[in-house]
Amino acid sequence: MKNVILYGSLSCLLVLAGCSSPSQREKVSGSYDYLKTKQLTDGFEVPTDLQQPLRSNQYDLPILESANEDAEALVGQNMRISSPRLILPLVSGSNVIEGSEDAVVTFDKINDREALDKTIWDKVLGYLEKNNIGVENFDRENNVLTTDWVVSRTEIPADSWYDFTSEFIEESRKFTLSLELAPHGRIASLSNEIVAYIDQDGNSALNSLDAISERSDEVEFLNYIIAEYDFGIRLARSERIAKIRDGFSTELGFNADGDSAYIINAGYNNAWPRLLLVLRKMGFDVIDLDQSSGLLFVAYNGNDDGWFSGLFSDEELPLEKDNYRILVQRSGERTSVTFKDDENISFDIQLVTDLFPIFQEYMASDNLDI
């Protein structure tokens, strides 16, 4: 079965002139008379009454060996002048291997909640599914995936400016993606290799592809995957920011130690930045914090003087202007917040209850700056 992905499409604006085809733009233009030029071997013709000058071979043209067919082919119209395809490390923490001729990109682990290899394969499979590209084989244990046929359609411009009809050529390719994970699991390299090719005439012609074309195809397909990976990360980040901005509902409850606490209906990573905003609005200044341990050291300096504080009361919170501690803990898919004094003693249930209305309102408000 062949699955179609429209990539590398070419559109030309015909304005009183024809538009060259992709293959023509990859070749030099002009006269090729220089190919007929032969190097002088007899040296300078010097009059007999003058001394022959010393001759250096520093600027002699190299002689192509007849056995080297590739060298003989890379002259004149057969010389490719297209710029090389470059890998685009768009994803945060990604980079390229300098000097490598292979289509390979490395990723650093930036999400500790999920294994890096799972993250990458999820993005690869998501891209393939989104573009209706089948999977011929996926060896998850050895981190190797081979795609089904990826069909590209390239537009061939008309021969004359007044001809508005379009023709297309189709080519099909299969790629093998390989993932190499470092022993520590925090760095992985994703490489791409073309393993099958059918030309526009329907012939299997992988061996006919030159090195430049192979790398271009491999890098181009890898770049599509990287771009989709980056888009997914940016989309998830935007959705997360929107959730934090909208606020979360809160309930009275208990933390894992049985102390009175506020239970935020949000995951830890979303509740944490939202809590920092709420504390600022409540009149707390954060002195120190450690998100990995969920501990904040704060100082209460009085309510925010902004207009929003007037919706509750003109009085300040029933707290001394002093230093306090706040413990933030994961509670399944929710998050618990426990207020403590500077001696690490949790607030009693009455004080927690008294503070709850303003904490709940600020946590749910969508008017906080982010």
Side-chain angles (χ1 to χ4, degrees):
M1 179 182 67
K2 289 188 177 181
N3 298 288
V4 178
I5 174 175
L6 302 181
Y7 75 97
S9 296
L10 172 69
S11 60
C12 292
L13 177 63
L14 305 178
V15 182
L16 302 180
C19 185
S20 59
S21 67
S23 60
Q24 290 174 330
R25 289 197 300 273
E26 292 182 350
K27 297 179 180 179
V28 295
S29 59
S31 173
Y32 301 102
D33 291 342
Y34 69 91
L35 295 175
K36 303 175 182 178
T37 302
K38 296 183 179 180
Q39 182 171 306
L40 297 176
T41 57
D42 297 335
F44 295 104
E45 295 184 1
V46 180
T48 55
D49 57 338
L50 297 179
Q51 185 178 359
Q52 185 78 15
L54 296 177
R55 182 182 180 280
S56 171
N57 61 358
Q58 180 178 359
Y59 300 105
D60 284 357
L61 297 176
I63 299 176
L64 299 178
E65 299 180 6
S66 58
N68 190 341
E69 296 181 358
D70 292 337
E72 289 186 340
L74 296 178
V75 294
Q77 197 171 11
N78 294 326
M79 171 66 77
R80 293 276 296 274
I81 59 172
S82 58
S83 59
R85 291 286 197 275
L86 300 178
I87 299 172
L88 306 177
L90 304 175
V91 179
S92 178
S94 65
N95 55 82
V96 297
I97 300 176
E98 296 294 338
S100 174
E101 296 182 0
D102 300 324
V104 58
V105 61
T106 64
F107 299 98
D108 295 334
K109 186 175 183 179
I110 58 177
N111 180 7
D112 290 329
R113 294 172 295 173
E114 186 176 67
L116 180 58
D117 56 339
K118 182 181 185 305
T119 300
I120 295 174
W121 283 126
D122 285 349
K123 300 302 182 184
V124 171
L125 293 172
Y127 170 77
L128 297 179
E129 181 179 1
K130 181 178 179 180
N131 291 277
N132 298 317
I133 302 173
V135 176
E136 182 178 275
N137 181 57
F138 184 24
D139 185 349
R140 182 64 178 85
E141 183 177 352
N142 294 312
N143 284 319
V144 177
L145 181 149
T146 300
T147 70
D148 202 343
W149 289 109
V150 180
V151 180
S152 64
R153 301 181 69 206
T154 304
E155 183 180 354
I156 302 300
D159 294 332
S160 56
W161 67 268
Y162 52 82
D163 186 355
F164 294 97
T165 60
S166 298
E167 294 184 0
F168 296 86
I169 60 172
E170 285 192 357
E171 298 171 301
S172 303
R173 300 166 179 83
K174 286 185 180 181
F175 299 95
T176 292
L177 295 157
S178 303
L179 185 66
E180 184 176 346
L181 187 67
H184 50 69
R186 301 198 65 85
I187 299 177
S189 299
L190 180 66
S191 60
N192 183 40
E193 179 184 6
I194 184 171
V195 293
Y197 169 67
I198 294 180
D199 62 19
Q200 63 191 51
D201 298 321
N203 300 318
S204 179
L206 181 61
N207 294 333
S208 67
L209 283 177
D210 58 85
I212 296 177
S213 297
E214 281 191 24
R215 176 177 169 81
S216 296
D217 292 342
E218 293 166 351
V219 169
E220 187 171 25
F221 189 71
L222 184 60
N223 279 340
Y224 283 121
I225 294 176
I226 296 173
E228 183 67 22
Y229 193 162
D230 177 63
F231 173 75
I233 291 177
R234 289 187 287 109
L235 180 61
R237 185 183 298 119
S238 298
E239 292 175 345
R240 175 171 176 258
I241 291 175
K243 289 181 180 179
I244 296 172
R245 189 186 297 276
D246 289 342
F248 309 110
S249 61
T250 311
E251 305 169 3
L252 280 171
F254 301 92
N255 64 16
D257 299 323
D259 298 322
S260 297
Y262 304 133
I263 307 301
I264 304 173
N265 292 309
Y268 185 87
N269 289 328
N270 287 344
W272 179 273
R274 178 72 186 189
L275 177 62
L276 298 181
L277 300 175
V278 170
L279 292 175
R280 184 182 67 187
K281 296 296 292 185
M282 292 177 68
F284 291 95
D285 289 333
V286 177
I287 301 173
D288 197 4
L289 76 166
D290 182 3
Q291 185 174 355
S292 61
S293 64
L295 189 60
L296 297 100
F297 295 88
V298 299
Y300 178 63
N301 297 313
N303 279 339
D304 190 348
D305 294 331
W307 67 271
F308 199 77
S309 62
L311 296 180
F312 304 102
S313 173
D314 293 332
E315 298 179 359
E316 296 184 347
L317 300 180
L319 289 176
E320 296 289 337
K321 293 184 178 180
D322 202 350
N323 293 335
Y324 298 92
R325 300 182 186 186
I326 299 175
L327 179 63
V328 186
Q329 296 174 300
R330 290 178 171 85
S331 180
E333 296 182 356
R334 303 194 295 175
T335 306
S336 67
V337 178
T338 308
F339 280 76
K340 302 184 177 187
D341 61 22
D342 199 31
E343 300 299 326
N344 203 33
I345 304 299
S346 299
F347 286 5
D348 60 49
I349 190 169
Q350 185 59 53
L351 184 53
V352 171
T353 302
D354 292 343
L355 294 174
F356 178 67
I358 187 170
F359 183 89
Q360 180 188 44
E361 189 68 24
Y362 279 134
M363 185 59 69
S365 171
D366 60 358
N367 295 311
L368 297 185
D369 296 330
I370 187 169

